[in-house]
Structures are given as C-alpha cells and as structure tokens.
Amino acid sequence: PARLSPQSPVVAYRGSMAPNDPGPEAKHAEIIRRTYELYSSDDAHTMAELWRDDIVWHIAGSNTVSGDHIGVDAILAMLGDVMALTQGTFQVEIRDIATSGDRGYSLHKATAMTEGGVAEFWNVLSFRFVDGKIAEVWNYAYDQAVDDTVLS
C-alpha cells in the first residue's frame, strides 16, 4: 500500500502499517526528502549527517562533476562545484520519492541560469541505505546532453 507524506508530493513504500512503526522505507523516504531540503538551504553539515562517511555518489556523463565521488568531503566539494558552475542558480524541486527495502528513488526537476536562459533538466537519483544512512547514490539524467552542457 502507498502512503502520502505532507512533506513531499508522493512517498510510496512497502513497510509496516503499524502506526508506531513506519518501517525502514518511510525512514528512508524522510532521509531523501531531508537531503534535498538541506541542500536547498545550504546546510551541508546537517546534510552530511544523513550519509555514511564512506558514501559513494556516481554521476554519469562528460562534464565537470562526472565520475565517482567517494566520501563526504568529496561529495560536498562536488555539490559545491555544481553551485559554482551555475553561478549559484542551481535549484532542485522534488517531484516524487519511492522506497523499497534498502533502496530509495527520487525524481527531481532542476533548473539553472545559463547564457541561453533557464535550463531545465530532470534526474532520477537511486539511493542505497546501510544502517539508516545513505551509502550510495546513482544519478541518472533524462537528457545527459543537457546535464553535460549546464555542468561543463
């Protein structure tokens, strides 16, 4: 069964229906939502507390931030690079979050100002959780060419 969360458009998960035990899926969905919220509010310290120290973030493509970023410091540097490359105009809007077991997924729309105007690009992030923290993230672009243009 699906449950809706007032904090995000849709949060679907399979877990315990007991009111006092939302199950790991609901907790994972909240961690994903909080990561986005804290990134948008520029609270890197609190955001990093949601991640394992050995977190790995995989970004496909041929742009400045493509590659495997390993560890909290490397990922915070990469997220800082995204803001620098977009002159601080990068914004993310969650459209959907889903979780199942130790996995979570988010769909978001990102925007950034470019020389040609506002660029809009869509991404799916796939999360893997270990011990209640984000251990690994894969970034999948709807249109990799747009991501590569904005982040180069």
Side-chain angles (χ1 to χ4, degrees):
R3 291 187 182 176
L4 297 179
S5 167
Q7 293 85 15
S8 62
V10 176
V11 177
Y13 62 91
R14 283 178 267 151
S16 170
M17 294 298 285
N20 295 329
D21 180 18
E25 289 86 357
K27 293 171 188 168
H28 294 161
E30 177 62 15
I31 291 169
I32 293 169
R33 188 193 64 73
R34 287 282 296 150
T35 295
Y36 277 96
E37 179 182 274
L38 293 165
Y39 179 73
S40 295
S41 68
D42 198 28
D43 188 350
H45 176 72
T46 304
M47 181 173 57
E49 292 175 1
L50 302 173
W51 306 338
R52 289 179 50 93
D53 291 338
D54 60 349
I55 184 173
V56 179
W57 199 304
H58 309 278
I59 300 180
S62 298
N63 62 64
T64 304
V65 298
S66 295
D68 296 334
H69 305 275
I70 302 169
V72 171
D73 291 340
I75 292 167
L76 291 175
M78 176 271 297
L79 294 173
D81 289 345
V82 169
M83 291 305 284
L85 289 164
T86 61
Q87 290 81 44
T89 65
F90 184 81
Q91 296 183 356
V92 181
E93 179 184 329
I94 300 172
R95 291 300 178 98
D96 199 5
I97 296 173
T99 61
S100 180
D102 69 345
R103 301 290 177 167
Y105 309 91
S106 65
L107 170 65
H108 70 251
K109 177 180 86 169
T111 57
M113 291 299 296
T114 66
E115 291 178 8
V118 176
E120 178 179 292
F121 41 112
W122 291 82
N123 294 88
V124 170
L125 298 184
S126 173
F127 299 84
R128 183 174 62 86
F129 291 86
V130 173
D131 298 327
K133 291 191 171 198
I134 299 172
E136 201 161 10
V137 181
W138 292 265
N139 189 93
Y140 300 100
Y142 172 74
D143 186 341
Q144 189 64 57
V146 173
D147 280 38
D148 288 345
T149 298
V150 172
L151 299 174
S152 292

